[in-house]
């Protein structure tokens, strides 16, 4: 093997000219889309726009190095801004920064404890609801940019959509969103069209952030003040990031390390806090621009999104300030349509889908859109899915009775999964007064999962014993027998 061939085998995939071009251009498009979003989230949190831009820079650059999901974009987000905004209003910016650092520490601990593995318990219907609700929220966030604005915004917006739809038919060498933004900016500046621009959102920073400690007293009182906000931010950030990582896994047909991503989010927030940022997590909209629209697949695009963000603000601030908001809104609207799972709401799909699955999806979407809190929607949707599943499995448990010809005993065959939902009805399936003196309960086709089932069996034995009848339980498999032996008689039996 030649030296050149060996070097190629060790060369990262992103050094390929084609891949490198895709990653660089994708990072540039994402950086442009991050600017107005970061400024908007800064306003929500009640901080200077530069704070949100600094957070987006440090989050993206750090997570590109330590995160578990390639090509996913992390930056300042609205969900995190909503959580920490009350802390900033009541106690000041120093406490906000301290909370961001503590939230990062919480995320590292939760990641090390394996919180990422909990993703396997999130049903597909919740995932679909999560994706659809995010698309709706991103779209709703664009509506104010198209309301009560100069009439010229609308043709620019329409032109932006048309360019992004038609340009890929000519070539895909350059991302269509980048072409759309560039062309619309040139048109508005050259023609002197007065429309809202990025500069109208707020002043861009003129220098890099400087690291430092939060300006708070390092006391237990401070810890008690920031801890609730930090923990809430850690949970919300992890949930958004891990769900987004799962989505990117499906789009790219690759796997990511959820544990590494959780720990990476914590490290990124700690770094962001020490640089005076407002913290953040994964961003679904910008991630979809990067992965689905621009075709990026490596960490380089994430790193460059953060690096380009600062370069655009500090070096090309005047040019970036002239970008019409209509161009960026068009990009985000197209992302919404690309993100939304239209197949999930197609009449043909809804006819075939179980009603419980549809209910879970609708509940997830409704909760997220109503509360603007993705964590609330995902948790509520998951709980709904558990209830639906429990009811469905509970119906599979059945009891059939066979009485011996001589009438000396009756054998009850119990089939299915015995747990709290199914065992609650188990007690009422026996004829305590009419059965003979000997009763056999055959559990060879059943499995005992919890203490509720053991308590139900104890209650059945107790009711028969009150009538002077004996009960024999047979057919227990190994795990069921161990659980029954350890708990039987130790639980309060129902009379």
């Amino acid at each position: 093997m030649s030296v050149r061939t060996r070097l190629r085998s060790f060369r990262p995939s992103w050094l390929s000219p084609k891949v490198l071009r895709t990653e660089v251009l994708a990072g540039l498009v994402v950086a442009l889309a991050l600017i107005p979003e970061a400024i908007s989230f800064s306003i929500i949190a009640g901080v200077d726009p530069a704070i949100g831009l600094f957070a987006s820079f440090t989050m993206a650059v750090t997570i590109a190095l330590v995160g578990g999901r390639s090509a996913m974009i992390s930056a300042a987000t609205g969900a995190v801004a909503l959580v920490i905004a009350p802390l900033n209003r009541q106690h000041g910016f120093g406490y906000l920064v301290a909370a961001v650092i503590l939230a990062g520490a919480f995320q590292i601990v939760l990641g090390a404890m394996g919180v990422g593995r909990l993703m396997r318990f999130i049903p597909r219907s919740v995932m679909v609801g999560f994706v659809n609700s995010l698309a709706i929220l991103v779209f709703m966030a664009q509506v104010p940019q198209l309301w009560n604005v100069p009439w010229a915004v609308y043709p620019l917006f329409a032109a932006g959509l048309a360019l992004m739809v038609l340009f890929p038919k000519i070539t895909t060498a350059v991302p269509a969103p980048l072409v759309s933004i560039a062309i619309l900016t040139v048109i508005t500046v050259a023609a002197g069209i007065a429309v809202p621009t990025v500069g109208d959102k707020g002043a861009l920073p003129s220098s890099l952030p400087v690291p430092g400690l939060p300006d708070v007293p390092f006391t237990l009182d401070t810890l008690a003040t920031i801890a609730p906000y930090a923990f809430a931010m850690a949970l919300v950030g992890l949930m958004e990031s891990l769900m987004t990582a799962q989505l990117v896994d499906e789009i790219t047909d690759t796997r990511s390390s959820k544990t590494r991503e959780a720990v990476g989010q914590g490290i990124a927030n700690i770094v962001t806090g020490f640089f005076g940022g407002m913290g953040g997590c994964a961003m679904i909209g910008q991630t979809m621009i990067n992965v689905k629209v621009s075709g990026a697949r490596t960490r380089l695009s994430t790193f460059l999104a953060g690096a380009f963000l600062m370069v655009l603000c500090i070096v090309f601030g005047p040019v970036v300030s002239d970008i019409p908001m209509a161009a960026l809104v068009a990009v985000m609207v197209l992302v919404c349509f690309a993100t939304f799972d239209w197949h999930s709401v197609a009449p043909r799909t809804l006819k075939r889908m179980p009603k419980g699955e549809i209910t879970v999806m609708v509940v997830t979407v409704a909760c997220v859109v109503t509360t603007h809190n993705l964590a609330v929607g995902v948790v509520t949707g998951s709980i709904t899915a558990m209830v639906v599943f429990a009811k469905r499995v509970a119906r599979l448990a059945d009891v059939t009775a066979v009485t011996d010809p001589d009438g000396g005993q009756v054998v009850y065959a119990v089939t299915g999964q015995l747990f709290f939902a199914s065992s609650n009805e188990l007690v009422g399936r026996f004829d305590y007064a009419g059965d003979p003196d000997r009763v056999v309960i055959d559990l060879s086709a059943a499995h005992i999962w919890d203490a509720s089932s053991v308590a139900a069996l104890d209650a059945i034995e107790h009711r028969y014993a009150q009538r002077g009848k004996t009960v024999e339980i047979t057919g227990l498999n190994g795990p069921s027998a161990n659980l029954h032996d350890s708990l039987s008689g130790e639980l309060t039996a129902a009379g």
Side-chain angles (χ1 to χ4, degrees), residues 70-380:
S70 300
M72 191 168 76
I73 304 298
S74 291
T77 59
V80 168
L82 287 170
V83 171
I84 60 178
L87 178 64
N88 184 54
R89 286 195 302 267
Q90 296 171 19
H91 300 280
F93 180 67
Y95 283 81
L96 181 151
V97 173
V100 170
I101 296 172
L102 182 59
F106 281 143
Q107 288 176 329
I108 292 175
V109 173
L110 290 171
M113 291 172 60
V115 69
R117 290 192 290 270
L118 295 178
M119 287 300 299
R120 72 183 72 175
F121 297 108
I122 297 181
R124 182 183 180 280
S125 52
V126 174
M127 189 69 190
V128 172
F130 167 80
V131 171
N132 290 347
S133 58
L134 276 172
I136 294 171
L137 283 183
V138 173
F139 179 80
M140 291 171 59
Q142 310 312 311
V143 173
Q145 308 297 332
L146 300 172
W147 193 259
N148 290 331
V149 292
W151 68 268
V153 168
Y154 302 108
L156 286 172
F157 171 72
L161 290 176
L163 280 168
M164 286 184 289
V165 172
L166 298 175
F167 188 78
K169 297 180 180 180
I170 301 173
T171 179
T172 57
V174 181
L178 182 59
V179 174
S180 175
I181 293 170
I183 291 177
L184 294 184
T185 302
V186 170
I187 290 174
T188 54
V189 172
I193 302 173
V195 291
T197 63
V198 170
D200 296 330
K201 284 284 184 178
L204 301 180
S206 57
S207 61
L208 289 171
V210 178
L213 295 175
D215 184 17
V216 295
F218 292 90
T219 63
L220 290 177
D221 288 339
T222 300
L223 181 63
T225 300
I226 66 173
Y229 295 96
F231 192 66
M233 175 185 163
L235 292 179
V236 169
L238 282 182
M239 190 165 294
E240 283 203 45
S241 300
L242 295 177
M243 292 288 283
T244 304
Q246 185 75 15
L247 177 61
V248 177
D249 288 354
E250 294 180 6
I251 293 173
T252 61
D253 195 24
T254 57
R255 295 184 63 182
S256 61
S257 172
K258 304 302 185 296
T259 297
R260 180 178 173 181
E261 182 60 35
V263 173
Q265 288 290 328
I267 295 172
N269 273 302
I270 290 175
V271 172
T272 298
F274 281 121
F275 275 92
M278 56 181 277
C281 61
M283 297 188 75
I284 183 70
Q286 276 66 21
T287 297
M288 289 301 100
I289 291 175
N290 197 46
V291 174
K292 205 165 186 178
V293 178
S294 301
R297 291 293 183 270
T298 76
R299 297 175 183 274
L300 181 62
S301 58
T302 306
F303 180 88
L304 291 178
F308 282 150
L309 176 64
M310 281 294 98
V311 172
L312 289 170
C313 290
I314 296 172
V315 180
F316 300 102
V319 176
V320 172
S321 296
D322 288 334
I323 295 175
M325 285 300 300
L328 297 175
V329 170
V331 172
M332 298 308 297
V333 168
L334 188 66
V335 168
C336 296
F337 278 90
T339 302
F340 195 90
D341 188 348
W342 296 102
H343 177 72
S344 66
V345 295
R348 185 176 180 182
T349 304
L350 295 176
K351 286 180 181 179
R352 296 182 177 182
M353 188 80 69
K355 292 183 179 179
E357 301 281 322
I358 297 174
T359 300
V360 171
M361 182 179 68
V362 171
V363 167
T364 303
V365 172
C367 287
V368 172
V369 173
T370 302
T371 64
H372 286 224
N373 190 319
L374 296 166
V376 171
V378 172
V379 171
T380 305

Side-chain angles (χ1 to χ4, degrees), residues 426-450:
L426 190 65
V427 179
R429 303 291 295 275
F430 295 82
D431 185 4
Y432 301 100
D435 284 341
D437 291 342
R438 177 175 168 77
V439 179
V440 177
I441 301 177
D442 182 8
L443 295 174
S444 56
H447 187 95
I448 298 176
W449 287 102
D450 59 8

